């Protein structure tokens, strides 16, 4: 009888452990929350598709500092680095390791943010080999040229149907810092939710 009881207890324990383990997801940063959602490293903030990453640890020109990317799932961002590069998918944690001084900016509408992330994936899959890097001023045209912050802006404009800063302008260059510093960000629902490193 003792053996049968021990066997049943052990079986229940192993079954429960298997269910709990399968409910959690893992990430390269090892940060999972109680519901299996992935957290930004060393925080309690969930990684959310559509999050905008902005760093000051990158510079194309003296007058064009910073870099931005869009989070498309719990492990991945879509970005374009500069001249000679095409759009690419990058590991989220590697991105944050490469750019330790960064901010995470989030739209207050998660459904629209998810649509922006989905559009960014579609754009990458359909245009990565066609679109070249160039800092051009046609922000609402995506079929020929893009740059890091324009890619993010277009994802929200075309995918999320959100008019981010400068949507009323026909020709303007969107800079990475616009997602952090533009006074109209709060009006469209953008807010900086995390800061990493020294900023």
């Amino acid at each position: 009888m003792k053996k049968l009881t021990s066997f049943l207890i052990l079986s229940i324990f192993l079954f429960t452990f298997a269910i709990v383990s399968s409910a959690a997801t893992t990430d390269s940063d090892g940060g999972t929350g109680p519901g299996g959602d992935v957290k930004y490293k060393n925080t309690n903030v969930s990684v959310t598709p559509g999050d905008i990453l902005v760093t000051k640890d990158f510079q194309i020109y003296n007058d064009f500092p910073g870099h931005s990317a869009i989070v498309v799932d719990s492990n991945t961002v879509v970005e374009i680095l500069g001249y000679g590069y095409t759009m690419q998918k990058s590991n989220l944690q590697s991105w944050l390791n490469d750019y330790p001084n960064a901010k995470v900016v989030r739209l207050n509408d998660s459904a629209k943010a998810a649509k922006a992330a989905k559009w960014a994936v579609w754009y990458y899959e359909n245009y990565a080999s066609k679109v070249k890097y160039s800092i051009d001023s046609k922000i609402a045209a995506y079929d020929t040229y893009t740059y890091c912050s324009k890619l993010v802006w277009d994802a929200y404009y075309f995918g999320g149907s959100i008019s981010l800063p400068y949507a009323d302008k026909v020709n303007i260059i969107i800079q990475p810092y616009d997602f952090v510093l533009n006074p109209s960000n709060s009006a469209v629902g953008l807010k900086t939710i995390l800061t990493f490193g020294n900023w």
Side-chain angles (χ1 to χ4, degrees), residues 114-162:
K115 287 179 180 178
K118 187 174 180 180
W119 188 91
V121 172
W122 171 85
Y123 188 41
Y124 166 78
E125 290 173 348
N126 291 279
Y127 284 88
S129 63
K130 303 172 187 175
V131 171
K132 296 183 179 185
Y133 182 94
S134 180
I135 299 176
D136 73 334
S137 61
K138 297 175 183 173
I139 55 175
Y142 59 82
D143 58 343
T144 308
Y145 300 108
T146 196
Y147 52 94
C148 67
S149 41
K150 180 177 185 262
L151 188 161
V152 174
W153 194 95
D154 282 345
Y156 270 92
Y157 185 77
F158 293 106
S161 299
I162 293 288

Side-chain angles (χ1 to χ4, degrees), residues 4-73:
L4 180 59
T5 304
S6 297
F7 176 76
L8 287 174
I9 291 171
L10 180 61
S11 297
I12 291 169
F13 173 78
L14 291 174
F15 179 74
T16 304
F17 178 78
I19 290 174
V20 170
S21 295
S22 66
T25 59
T26 57
D27 197 319
S28 58
D29 68 358
T32 55
D37 58 321
V38 177
K39 308 289 187 187
Y40 283 99
K41 189 174 183 179
N42 300 323
T43 76
N44 289 320
V45 178
S46 298
V47 175
T48 302
D51 283 351
I52 300 169
L53 306 180
V54 181
T55 181
K56 63 179 185 175
D57 297 328
F58 192 91
Q59 191 161 330
I60 297 292
Y61 298 119
N62 289 333
D63 58 351
F64 198 80
H67 178 52
S68 58
I70 184 169
V71 175
V72 296
D73 61 40

Side-chain angles (χ1 to χ4, degrees), residues 100-117:
N101 300 302
K103 289 185 182 285
V104 179
V105 179
R106 181 170 291 170
L107 185 73
N108 61 7
D109 186 328
S110 60
K112 289 185 176 182
K115 287 179 180 178

Side-chain angles (χ1 to χ4, degrees), residues 76-108:
T76 314
V77 303
V78 172
E79 64 179 332
I80 188 165
L81 292 173
Y83 290 103
Y85 290 90
T86 57
M87 279 185 285
Q88 64 187 46
K89 284 186 174 180
S90 302
N91 176 271
L92 170 61
Q93 191 54 47
S94 295
W95 196 97
L96 291 170
N97 289 339
D98 289 343
Y99 310 116
N101 300 302
K103 289 185 182 285
V104 179
V105 179
R106 181 170 291 170
L107 185 73
N108 61 7

